[in-house]
Amino acid sequence: DQQVKQNSPSLSVQEGRISILNCDYTNSMFDYFLWYKKYPAEGPTFLISISSIKDKNEDGRFTVFLNKSAKHLSLHIVPSQPGDSAVYFCAASARNAGNMLTFGGGTRLMVKP
Amino acid sequence: DGGITQSPKYLFRKEGQNVTLSCEQNLNHDAMYWYRQDPGQGLRLIYYSQIVNDFQKGDIAEGYSVSREKKESFPLTVTSAQKNPTAFYLCASSIGRVGNSPLHFGNGTRLTVT
């Protein structure tokens, strides 16, 4: 029973265009959401996070949107660059579960020059 | 340069043998974690530790054991009881209380058991 789902295993985007990565969750107790980026043979690196009291958080080219009623979050990358090509994981945590992170299965983003 | 060091990068073992994966951090973080990554399944939590000499089971602890004798070190032993040990193992740490801050990951150890 996956509580955090990334339904698109891969996404291909042209350089300069917008990349939109989606994530759905089922646990309504989740109140903190994060995105991680992972290159092959490396550990994930933290990208951006959002608390459930917000619906948007922006950091440079990266923006995360949270729709609590739909239990959906998305990561927008604008403009996309070839160096953004990686696997992106969304993760969620809930204070009543000890704040442990639950990860989605990841989406592989390919940005074509 | 602060960070998390996992060694070795690649590890090969015969079925039935126990194997220990090393994880060292010099970030002075209190909490440490072990995750396992399988294709298409994301990261699943094996064990975590909030403080020295204390650790808790994660979602898939069966067949694994850990120790936390020092703040900097959190080795993971994959025992012969683990039915599907071949995977990519990631160690992570976080400052302060578990879950209140983003995780910092090492570069992982790919374990292959034949």
Side-chain angles (χ1 to χ4, degrees):
Chain A
D1 178 28
Q2 279 191 299
Q3 296 189 65
V4 179
K5 289 184 183 177
Q6 295 176 255
N7 290 318
S8 298
S10 65
L11 175 67
S12 183
V13 169
Q14 204 67 35
E15 181 179 4
R17 307 295 287 268
I18 184 171
S19 295
I20 300 176
L21 294 92
N22 294 304
C23 180
D24 296 295
Y25 61 95
T26 56
N27 188 343
S28 58
M29 299 305 294
F30 285 147
D31 54 12
Y32 185 54
F33 305 88
L34 307 90
W35 284 94
Y36 283 85
K37 175 180 178 179
K38 184 183 181 300
Y39 293 117
E42 292 184 10
T45 54
F46 169 70
L47 198 55
I48 192 169
S49 64
I50 188 167
S51 163
S52 61
I53 62 173
K54 294 185 173 182
D55 54 18
K56 177 182 173 181
N57 190 25
E58 194 170 350
D59 184 2
R61 296 186 297 115
F62 303 92
T63 303
V64 56
F65 294 93
L66 175 63
N67 183 335
K68 289 186 288 294
S69 60
K71 294 191 180 67
H72 177 84
L73 67 154
S74 60
L75 174 69
H76 292 211
I77 307 174
V78 182
S80 301
Q81 299 172 354
D84 295 329
S85 298
V87 176
Y88 290 79
F89 292 98
C90 71
S93 69
R95 289 195 194 93
N96 72 348
N99 284 338
M100 299 314 299
L101 286 182
T102 300
F103 284 85
T107 296
R108 181 178 300 279
L109 173 65
M110 293 162 283
V111 180
K112 299 178 182 177
Chain B
D1 251 341
I4 300 177
T5 302
Q6 289 187 244
S7 60
K9 195 172 180 68
Y10 299 96
L11 193 52
F12 298 88
R13 279 294 183 271
K14 294 287 188 187
E15 197 174 318
Q17 293 179 332
N18 291 356
V19 59
T20 298
L21 281 60
S22 168
C23 177
E24 304 279 331
Q25 55 103 355
N26 60 4
L27 299 165
N28 200 32
H29 284 175
D30 291 310
M32 296 188 75
Y33 315 75
W34 274 104
Y35 284 89
R36 168 181 172 141
Q37 186 190 3
D38 295 283
Q41 291 200 44
L43 281 67
R44 292 182 291 167
L45 182 65
I46 304 172
Y47 266 99
Y48 66 97
S49 167
Q50 300 200 62
I51 197 169
V52 173
N53 292 325
D54 178 71
F55 47 83
Q56 306 295 328
K57 292 181 179 180
D59 299 321
I60 54 166
E62 186 175 346
Y64 299 98
S65 66
V66 293
S67 63
R68 187 89 186 274
E69 296 176 3
K70 299 186 298 182
K71 187 176 185 177
E72 307 79 32
S73 179
F74 192 40
L76 173 74
T77 297
V78 184
T79 75
S80 56
Q82 167 50 231
K83 291 182 171 42
N84 296 297
T86 294
F88 188 54
Y89 290 88
L90 286 160
C91 179
S93 69
S94 66
I95 194 167
R97 188 169 172 267
V98 163
N100 276 353
S101 60
L103 302 179
H104 296 257
F105 284 89
N107 281 336
T109 292
R110 184 164 297 281
L111 173 65
T112 303
V113 177
T114 56

